[in-house]
mmCIF file of all heavy atoms in Angstrom:
data_model
loop_
_atom_site.group_PDB
_atom_site.id
_atom_site.type_symbol
_atom_site.label_atom_id
_atom_site.label_comp_id
_atom_site.label_asym_id
_atom_site.label_seq_id
_atom_site.Cartn_x
_atom_site.Cartn_y
_atom_site.Cartn_z
ATOM 1 N N LYS A 41 103.642 181.744 119.973
ATOM 2 C CA LYS A 41 104.045 182.902 119.182
ATOM 3 C C LYS A 41 105.551 182.909 118.893
ATOM 4 O O LYS A 41 105.967 183.153 117.766
ATOM 5 C CB LYS A 41 103.646 184.163 119.934
ATOM 6 C CG LYS A 41 103.895 185.438 119.232
ATOM 7 C CD LYS A 41 103.327 186.566 120.055
ATOM 8 C CE LYS A 41 103.872 187.913 119.650
ATOM 9 N NZ LYS A 41 103.323 188.980 120.473
ATOM 10 N N ASP A 42 106.353 182.624 119.911
ATOM 11 C CA ASP A 42 107.803 182.738 119.745
ATOM 12 C C ASP A 42 108.580 181.479 120.130
ATOM 13 O O ASP A 42 109.797 181.518 120.272
ATOM 14 C CB ASP A 42 108.320 183.923 120.556
ATOM 15 C CG ASP A 42 107.997 183.793 122.036
ATOM 16 O OD1 ASP A 42 107.166 182.931 122.397
ATOM 17 O OD2 ASP A 42 108.574 184.538 122.838
ATOM 18 N N ARG A 43 107.875 180.369 120.318
ATOM 19 C CA ARG A 43 108.571 179.137 120.697
ATOM 20 C C ARG A 43 107.697 177.920 120.411
ATOM 21 O O ARG A 43 106.524 178.026 120.092
ATOM 22 C CB ARG A 43 108.997 179.175 122.153
ATOM 23 C CG ARG A 43 107.869 179.402 123.114
ATOM 24 C CD ARG A 43 108.355 179.734 124.501
ATOM 25 N NE ARG A 43 107.243 180.297 125.238
ATOM 26 C CZ ARG A 43 107.047 180.131 126.510
ATOM 27 N NH1 ARG A 43 107.908 179.445 127.229
ATOM 28 N NH2 ARG A 43 106.016 180.661 127.109
ATOM 29 N N LEU A 44 108.302 176.765 120.579
ATOM 30 C CA LEU A 44 107.627 175.502 120.345
ATOM 31 C C LEU A 44 107.397 174.821 121.694
ATOM 32 O O LEU A 44 108.322 174.694 122.495
ATOM 33 C CB LEU A 44 108.507 174.621 119.460
ATOM 34 C CG LEU A 44 107.913 173.344 118.924
ATOM 35 C CD1 LEU A 44 106.809 173.666 117.920
ATOM 36 C CD2 LEU A 44 108.991 172.527 118.258
ATOM 37 N N LEU A 45 106.193 174.414 121.958
ATOM 38 C CA LEU A 45 105.857 173.735 123.203
ATOM 39 C C LEU A 45 105.750 172.237 122.917
ATOM 40 O O LEU A 45 104.977 171.824 122.042
ATOM 41 C CB LEU A 45 104.534 174.270 123.752
ATOM 42 C CG LEU A 45 104.020 173.667 125.040
ATOM 43 C CD1 LEU A 45 104.940 174.032 126.199
ATOM 44 C CD2 LEU A 45 102.615 174.177 125.316
ATOM 45 N N VAL A 46 106.516 171.439 123.617
ATOM 46 C CA VAL A 46 106.483 169.989 123.448
ATOM 47 C C VAL A 46 105.516 169.421 124.477
ATOM 48 O O VAL A 46 105.657 169.654 125.676
ATOM 49 C CB VAL A 46 107.886 169.374 123.629
ATOM 50 C CG1 VAL A 46 107.821 167.859 123.520
ATOM 51 C CG2 VAL A 46 108.857 169.943 122.608
ATOM 52 N N ILE A 47 104.520 168.692 124.008
ATOM 53 C CA ILE A 47 103.549 168.048 124.884
ATOM 54 C C ILE A 47 104.090 166.661 125.219
ATOM 55 O O ILE A 47 104.297 165.835 124.329
ATOM 56 C CB ILE A 47 102.161 167.926 124.210
ATOM 57 C CG1 ILE A 47 101.702 169.272 123.632
ATOM 58 C CG2 ILE A 47 101.144 167.332 125.166
ATOM 59 C CD1 ILE A 47 101.501 170.371 124.638
ATOM 60 N N LEU A 48 104.329 166.430 126.498
ATOM 61 C CA LEU A 48 104.920 165.156 126.919
ATOM 62 C C LEU A 48 103.915 164.022 126.861
ATOM 63 O O LEU A 48 102.734 164.196 127.168
ATOM 64 C CB LEU A 48 105.464 165.269 128.339
ATOM 65 C CG LEU A 48 106.638 166.209 128.531
ATOM 66 C CD1 LEU A 48 107.023 166.257 130.009
ATOM 67 C CD2 LEU A 48 107.823 165.792 127.697
ATOM 68 N N ASP A 49 104.394 162.856 126.510
ATOM 69 C CA ASP A 49 103.621 161.625 126.517
ATOM 70 C C ASP A 49 103.885 160.954 127.868
ATOM 71 O O ASP A 49 104.830 160.180 128.016
ATOM 72 C CB ASP A 49 104.073 160.742 125.355
ATOM 73 C CG ASP A 49 103.282 159.452 125.232
ATOM 74 O OD1 ASP A 49 102.570 159.084 126.196
ATOM 75 O OD2 ASP A 49 103.390 158.811 124.191
ATOM 76 N N VAL A 50 103.072 161.281 128.857
ATOM 77 C CA VAL A 50 103.308 160.800 130.228
ATOM 78 C C VAL A 50 103.292 159.275 130.302
ATOM 79 O O VAL A 50 104.174 158.690 130.928
ATOM 80 C CB VAL A 50 102.317 161.438 131.219
ATOM 81 C CG1 VAL A 50 102.468 160.840 132.606
ATOM 82 C CG2 VAL A 50 102.531 162.955 131.270
ATOM 83 N N PRO A 51 102.357 158.571 129.657
ATOM 84 C CA PRO A 51 102.428 157.106 129.701
ATOM 85 C C PRO A 51 103.760 156.562 129.170
ATOM 86 O O PRO A 51 104.303 155.600 129.702
ATOM 87 C CB PRO A 51 101.249 156.662 128.832
ATOM 88 C CG PRO A 51 100.265 157.780 128.954
ATOM 89 C CD PRO A 51 101.123 159.023 129.000
ATOM 90 N N GLN A 52 104.293 157.187 128.116
ATOM 91 C CA GLN A 52 105.583 156.758 127.582
ATOM 92 C C GLN A 52 106.698 156.996 128.599
ATOM 93 O O GLN A 52 107.586 156.157 128.772
ATOM 94 C CB GLN A 52 105.892 157.489 126.272
ATOM 95 C CG GLN A 52 107.270 157.199 125.700
ATOM 96 C CD GLN A 52 107.468 155.740 125.319
ATOM 97 O OE1 GLN A 52 106.520 154.994 125.097
ATOM 98 N NE2 GLN A 52 108.715 155.324 125.254
ATOM 99 N N LEU A 53 106.665 158.130 129.281
ATOM 100 C CA LEU A 53 107.663 158.413 130.314
ATOM 101 C C LEU A 53 107.606 157.361 131.418
ATOM 102 O O LEU A 53 108.631 156.876 131.890
ATOM 103 C CB LEU A 53 107.435 159.793 130.918
ATOM 104 C CG LEU A 53 107.854 160.973 130.066
ATOM 105 C CD1 LEU A 53 107.343 162.265 130.693
ATOM 106 C CD2 LEU A 53 109.353 161.022 129.922
#
Side-chain angles (χ1 to χ4, degrees):
K41 184 175 163 181
D42 59 347
R43 57 193 164 146
L44 189 68
L45 179 67
V46 177
I47 309 297
L48 294 177
D49 183 345
V50 174
Q52 175 63 22
L53 285 170

